[in-house]
């Protein structure tokens, strides 16, 4: 065979082998490409899942959502444009916070500290509760309603005449601690109606302080001193509610308290916790306005057994004008609470409602003709 023939046979053999080799190597190549594509898909999917999880983790809790709404409401009221009241701490809200901080000479960070947020919310609550006074400040101050913040910071304004509660300074002491420290009636003599009311009030007062201490112990992020200071700062906002206990009907007082809660924008559950704590703080510090206002707030929040506290103050003339008829109305309202919804704090003895009903209907044990009807309020510590 000639060299040319041998070369031709080799070329033909090579051409015949190439398609088979291509087919043999094509399968693994496709598999490698498919593996690479699937790996990229898996990586993208994992990245998307991580982003979704991060977004979900960054979403505020219901409590944080409600707090941001309250801050936005207060900022907007004082003309710091926080944008939509949507509970989302967006750029417009942060800009409004910066403007608020700059106005009050706080460090401008766009993030409210606890004290900065508390001052803002208390100022808003006071402006809502004392709208006439706030409007007077807005009319007189060059900065308008913003000036209310400066007035409050630099010195609390005087309460307007229409919301000062009426106190009965004659007779019983206005200091609840002193009243409860008086010697108990002799066991040999049957206590008068007035003595019984005092005894029951002092028992309820101690129960409120105990309940407040338990709630404070479970409050995260604040010391007891800080919480008490917040309650004290909250007291002026309750002035109109306290005044209505002396000057208006029970229905008007409760309705006014309900409208106050709506104006604050507070969640009812949150407001209930605040009122329970501040009720005890009011009694501990002998600030009767704080105690009365907190009790009426709780009543307006459909915890009507707390109406009994207002009844004690009116019956004894303690921080409110003494009025036996009005005291009876508060006690009757307290009896409207359903037995199966009473907490251990609200009722200890099983015959409490029967005893209170009998006292309101029939008067009570012997005493002066002007004595208040006898309520019965026992609590379990």
């Amino acid at each position: 065979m000639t060299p040319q023939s041998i070369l031709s046979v080799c070329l033909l053999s090579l051409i015949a082998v190439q398609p088979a080799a291509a087919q043999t190597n094509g399968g693994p190549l496709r598999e490698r490409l498919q593996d690479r594509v699937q790996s990229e898909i898996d990586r993208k999917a994992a990245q998307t899942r991580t982003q979704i999880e991060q977004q979900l983790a960054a979403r505020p809790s219901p409590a944080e959502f409600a707090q941001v709404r309250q801050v936005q409401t207060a900022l907007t009221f004082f003309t710091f444009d926080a944008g939509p009241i949507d509970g989302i701490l967006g750029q417009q809200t942060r800009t409004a916070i910066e403007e608020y901080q700059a106005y009050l000479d706080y460090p401008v960070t766009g993030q409210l500290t606890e004290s900065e947020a508390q001052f803002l919310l208390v100022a808003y609550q006071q402006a809502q509760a004392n709208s006439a006074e706030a409007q007077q400040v807005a009319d007189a101050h060059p900065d308008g309603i913003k000036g209310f913040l400066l007035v409050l910071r630099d010195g609390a304004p005087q309460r307007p005449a229409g919301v000062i509660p009426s106190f009965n300074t004659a007779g019983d002491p206005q200091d609840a601690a002193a009243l409860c420290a008086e010697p108990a009636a002799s066991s040999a003599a049957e206590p008068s109606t007035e003595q019984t009311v005092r005894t029951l009030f002092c028992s309820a007062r101690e129960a409120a302080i105990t309940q407040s201490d338990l709630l404070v112990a479970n409050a995260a992020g604040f010391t007891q001193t800080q919480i008490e200071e917040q309650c004290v700062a909250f007291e002026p906002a309750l002035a109109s509610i306290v005044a209505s206990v002396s000057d208006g009907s029970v229905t008007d007082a409760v309705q006014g308290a309900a409208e106050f809660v709506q104006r604050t924008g507070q969640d009812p559950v949150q407001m209930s916790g605040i009122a329970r704590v501040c009720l005890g703080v009011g009694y501990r510090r002998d600030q009767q306005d704080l105690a009365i206002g907190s009790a009426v707030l709780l009543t307006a929040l459909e915890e009507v057994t707390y109406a009994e506290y207002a009844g004690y103050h009116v019956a004894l003339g303690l921080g409110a004008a003494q009025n036996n008829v009005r005291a009876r109305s508060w006690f009757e309202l307290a009896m409207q609470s359903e037995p199966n919804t009473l907490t251990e704090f609200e009722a200890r003895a099983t015959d409490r409602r029967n005893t209170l009903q009998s006292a309101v209907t029939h008067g009570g044990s012997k005493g002066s003709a002007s004595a208040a009807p006898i309520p019965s309020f026992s609590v379990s510590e």
Side-chain angles (χ1 to χ4, degrees):
M1 182 177 289
T2 64
Q4 290 82 358
S5 300
I6 294 172
L7 179 60
S8 298
V9 170
C10 290
L11 289 173
L12 290 172
S13 299
L14 181 60
I15 293 170
V17 170
Q18 280 183 340
Q23 185 177 2
T24 302
N25 295 331
L29 179 59
R30 284 196 299 271
E31 291 177 358
R32 287 196 297 272
L33 289 174
Q34 289 173 352
D35 290 343
R36 184 173 297 179
V37 170
Q38 186 62 46
S39 176
E40 182 65 16
I41 292 173
D42 292 343
R43 187 184 69 81
K44 289 290 187 180
Q47 186 179 34
T48 301
R49 283 196 300 269
T50 300
Q51 291 174 347
I52 293 174
E53 290 172 356
Q54 290 174 345
Q55 290 173 357
L56 290 174
R59 291 180 63 181
S61 67
E64 292 170 335
F65 182 84
Q67 185 175 27
V68 172
R69 282 180 57 88
Q70 293 167 18
V71 168
Q72 289 173 328
T73 300
L75 287 170
T76 300
F77 175 81
F78 289 115
T79 68
F80 301 106
D81 185 7
I85 310 299
D86 54 10
I88 299 174
L89 191 59
Q91 185 55 50
Q92 193 167 359
T93 300
R94 293 186 186 278
T95 300
I97 290 173
E98 292 175 352
E99 293 174 356
Y100 161 73
Q101 291 172 326
Y103 187 72
L104 291 179
D105 297 324
Y106 295 138
V108 179
T109 64
Q111 294 279 356
L112 289 173
T113 66
E114 291 179 359
S115 61
E116 291 169 359
Q118 185 64 31
F119 179 80
L120 173 65
L121 296 178
V122 168
Y124 173 71
Q125 292 166 358
Q126 288 206 31
Q128 292 295 300
N130 303 313
S131 57
E133 177 185 357
Q135 188 59 50
Q136 289 176 359
V137 172
D139 292 341
H141 201 281
D143 295 337
I145 193 61
K146 284 183 184 177
F148 189 82
L149 294 168
L150 298 180
V151 171
L152 191 62
R153 183 194 66 182
D154 300 334
Q158 297 295 319
R159 295 180 185 176
V163 297
I164 299 178
S166 174
F167 292 94
N168 181 2
T169 57
D172 298 330
Q174 294 299 305
D175 188 332
L179 182 148
C180 292
E182 291 183 0
S186 173
S187 59
E190 184 179 358
S192 68
T193 297
E194 183 178 357
Q195 290 170 331
T196 303
V197 170
R198 288 190 181 192
T199 299
L200 292 170
F201 164 70
C202 293
S203 174
R205 173 180 176 271
E206 286 300 319
I209 293 173
T210 299
Q211 179 182 230
S212 177
D213 289 344
L214 291 173
L215 292 172
V216 168
N218 293 325
F222 295 96
T223 66
Q224 179 164 342
T225 299
Q226 289 173 330
I227 290 176
E228 289 195 7
E229 289 174 351
Q230 291 181 29
C231 284
V232 171
F234 183 49
E235 181 184 21
L238 304 175
S240 60
I241 297 174
V242 176
S244 66
V245 172
S246 292
D247 302 334
S249 67
V250 172
T251 300
D252 290 342
V254 174
Q255 180 62 32
E259 292 172 355
F260 171 82
V261 173
Q262 291 179 345
R263 289 197 303 270
T264 64
Q266 278 276 1
D267 176 73
V269 174
Q270 176 70 8
M271 182 60 81
S272 175
I274 292 172
R276 288 171 187 264
V277 169
C278 292
L279 177 66
V281 171
Y283 285 134
R284 181 187 295 281
R285 299 174 69 112
D286 267 315
Q287 295 186 227
Q288 306 310 320
D289 281 13
L290 181 58
I292 295 171
S294 297
V296 180
L297 279 181
L298 286 164
T299 305
L301 290 166
E302 299 184 358
E303 300 181 56
V304 295
T305 192
Y306 284 92
E308 203 161 346
Y309 280 89
Y312 290 132
H313 284 271
V314 177
L316 297 171
L318 184 64
Q322 188 173 22
N323 186 308
N324 297 325
V325 174
R326 190 174 292 132
R328 181 186 294 269
S329 296
W330 282 107
F331 293 139
E332 289 175 342
L333 177 58
M335 288 190 300
Q336 293 180 14
S337 54
E338 295 296 329
N340 61 350
T341 63
L342 295 178
T343 65
E344 186 177 357
F345 168 76
E346 295 165 342
R348 180 186 53 146
T350 56
D351 62 347
R352 169 189 172 277
R353 287 167 62 85
N354 293 334
T355 304
L356 182 57
Q357 179 67 55
S358 177
V360 171
T361 302
H362 303 297
S365 61
K366 62 184 180 181
S368 63
S370 62
I374 304 175
S376 174
F377 187 87
S378 299
V379 296
S380 176
E381 297 183 359

